[in-house]
Amino acid sequence: MKWVDTPTFSEDWRRLSNAHREMFLQAIPDFSEARDGFFADPAQFKWPQRLRVSRLQGVHGVWEMTWSFAGPDGRATFDFIQLEGDLVLRWRRIGGHAIYRKP
C-alpha cells in the first residue's frame, strides 16, 4: 500500500527533533506490516499493542498511532483515501498530544 502526507504533516515533520523523527521511523516497519494485515482481513485483524492504533474519537475516518508517551510524546494521525483507484494511507499530523486539536 502506498502512502502520502498532507501539507500539515510536512510542516509538523519539519518541527520535530531528529530524535522524534527517528522514533517514528523506527515504528514504520511494524506499522507497515500491520497496515497490510489490516487490509487483508480487517474484521479479524488486531493492531499490535505497542503501536496503540485506534480510531480517533469524534472525527470520522481518522485514526491515531502512538509510539511514545514520553521523551518525546510521539503520535500521528492518518486516514485512508482513494488515489488514482488505489487505497492509500494519508498521514495527517505528527507530534505530541496537541495534534489532536486539529487532527
Side-chain angles (χ1 to χ4, degrees):
M1 174 184 289
K2 301 175 190 175
W3 63 40
V4 296
D5 57 24
T6 63
T8 306
F9 182 91
S10 297
E11 290 172 23
D12 291 344
W13 181 263
R14 283 191 288 276
R15 286 191 289 262
L16 293 179
S17 69
N18 287 338
H20 203 168
R21 290 178 188 165
E22 184 61 32
M23 290 173 71
F24 175 74
L25 293 174
Q26 287 174 3
I28 289 300
D30 289 345
F31 179 82
S32 295
E33 183 178 333
R35 174 202 61 204
D36 294 344
F38 174 77
F39 281 104
D41 188 1
Q44 299 298 317
F45 184 78
K46 295 203 184 318
W47 290 91
Q49 285 186 347
R50 78 172 206 82
L51 296 176
R52 298 173 192 93
V53 173
S54 62
R55 293 180 190 268
L56 192 59
Q57 293 183 353
V59 185
H60 179 72
V62 178
W63 294 72
E64 63 179 318
M65 175 179 71
T66 302
W67 63 91
S68 174
F69 286 111
D73 181 16
R75 301 161 188 270
T77 61
F78 60 94
D79 59 9
F80 301 102
I81 61 170
Q82 288 288 326
L83 186 63
E84 299 176 0
D86 294 324
L87 187 59
V88 176
L89 183 139
R90 177 174 57 183
W91 291 110
R92 298 171 57 99
R93 299 293 310 270
I94 187 170
H97 197 267
I99 68 170
Y100 296 138
R101 288 186 211 125
K102 294 183 180 179

